Each structure stands twice: as structure tokens, then as C-alpha cells.
Amino acid sequence: MDLADKAVGLLLSVISLSVFTYYTFWVIILPFVDTDHFVHKYFLPQEYAILIPVFALAALLCFLCMFVGYVMLKSKKKKA
Amino acid sequence: MKHILKILALLVAISACWIGLLQVSVIPESYTWLLPLYFIVSLGCYGILMVGVGLMQFPTCPQEALLLHQDILEAKDFLKNKGVDVGSN
């Protein structure tokens, strides 16, 4: 049981570290590299560096609002 | 109410710093536009990292679990002898 916990914890930290390094590289280091370096192949165009986090934030907000509304509706139906 | 005011004051201070950074132009402008988003993403990453690290280091105390099981069995026997219905597991 604790092995599964450790595995999930390790997975989460690995994901977070890789996302952080990828995003740091994307936003901070890449604009300084010349445009015909091979590294640019591994990174999406820079507009996506803005679109993807903003889209994720908006999706999270929508999900939160839907969840809150759903819980409120369910509680009102139970009381009535 | 005071707590909300404190948080709002912090937000206003950070935005003032950001706009000041835009005006001074020490850093190239494209960087200054992306900086708040970068900080939000890194904050989320830090949160997930802390959750992962906490999960990995969570202590399970196997000896205490064993002692607890023995205590439960002892209590069940005692109550059954006294006539209380302890039910099934």
C-alpha cells in the first residue's frame, strides 16, 4: 500500500519537474537561441506557450464553477 | 475584511512592480509580458511537487498499525463477553 503511494508521489514530482523545465526552457531560453538551431524542432511555436496555460486555467475555472453549481443544485433538490 | 484588503494590497503592489518593469525596459519587452504567466505556471508546478514529495515521505508506522489491530481484537472480545453486539467486520 505504501509502495503505491510512493509510486504516485514519484510520478507527480517527475511530471511537475519536467513541466517546469520544459516551460522555463520554452519561455526564457529559446528566444535567445538562433532560429536555425536544431533545438527549435523540439518545441512548439511560441504562441502555444501562452495559449496552453491560459486554456488550462480557463478550463479549470469552468470545471470549478460547474462543480459548485452541481453541488448547489443537488443540495437544493434534496431539501425540497 | 482586513484579510481581503491585505491580499488586494499585495496584488496591487505586484501589478505596480510589473508595470514599472515594463516602463524601465531593462528586460526585453516580450519577456515582461510573459512573466506573470510564467510565475503562475511555476507556482502550480511547485504545488504539485510539494504534494508529490509529501506523498513519498508519508510515514506509515507499521508497528503502530499492528498494535492497533491487537487493541481492536481485544476490545471486541471484551465487549462480546459483556454482551454487546459487535457485529461483523
Side-chain angles (χ1 to χ4, degrees):
Chain A
M1 201 22 73
D2 56 342
L3 199 60
D5 279 345
K6 276 198 170 49
V8 169
L10 189 67
L11 189 70
L12 271 182
S13 10
V14 161
I15 286 180
S16 110
L17 277 176
S18 56
V19 163
F20 179 69
T21 46
Y22 188 83
Y23 198 70
T24 306
F25 225 92
W26 210 0
V27 171
I28 295 190
I29 301 186
L30 228 51
F32 284 136
V33 174
D34 306 320
T35 33
D36 42 352
H37 202 267
F38 76 101
V39 157
H40 278 278
K41 263 193 309 185
Y42 293 112
F43 292 97
L44 297 165
Q46 263 233 330
E47 302 89 43
Y48 285 105
I50 310 174
L51 280 181
I52 295 184
V54 170
F55 183 69
L57 271 170
L60 186 73
L61 214 62
C62 279
F63 175 71
L64 273 175
C65 290
M66 281 201 296
F67 185 70
V68 165
Y70 174 69
V71 165
M72 280 169 65
L73 280 175
K74 210 158 63 145
S75 78
K76 195 177 286 192
K77 209 187 335 181
K78 207 184 287 187
K79 217 186 339 179
Chain B
M1 197 58 192
K2 278 192 210 162
H3 206 63
I4 296 181
L5 283 178
K6 267 196 278 189
I7 296 179
L8 273 178
L10 194 67
L11 274 176
V12 164
I14 293 181
S15 342
C17 279
W18 186 50
I19 296 181
L21 211 59
L22 268 179
Q23 302 290 66
V24 171
S25 314
V26 168
I27 311 173
E29 229 194 56
S30 57
Y31 274 172
T32 336
W33 281 111
L34 289 176
L35 215 57
L37 194 60
Y38 177 71
F39 279 134
I40 294 178
V41 168
S42 62
L43 180 74
C45 258
Y46 172 74
I48 299 184
L49 182 75
M50 284 292 117
V51 166
V53 165
L55 258 184
M56 280 205 291
Q57 290 181 340
F58 198 80
T60 45
C61 320
Q63 298 109 335
E64 277 79 357
L66 201 60
L67 287 177
L68 191 62
H69 271 300
Q70 285 171 351
D71 279 344
I72 293 177
L73 285 174
E74 216 178 286
K76 273 197 186 161
D77 287 332
F78 178 75
L79 286 172
K80 212 182 294 190
N81 289 342
K82 298 279 172 166
V84 178
D85 179 19
V86 284
S88 62
N89 224 355

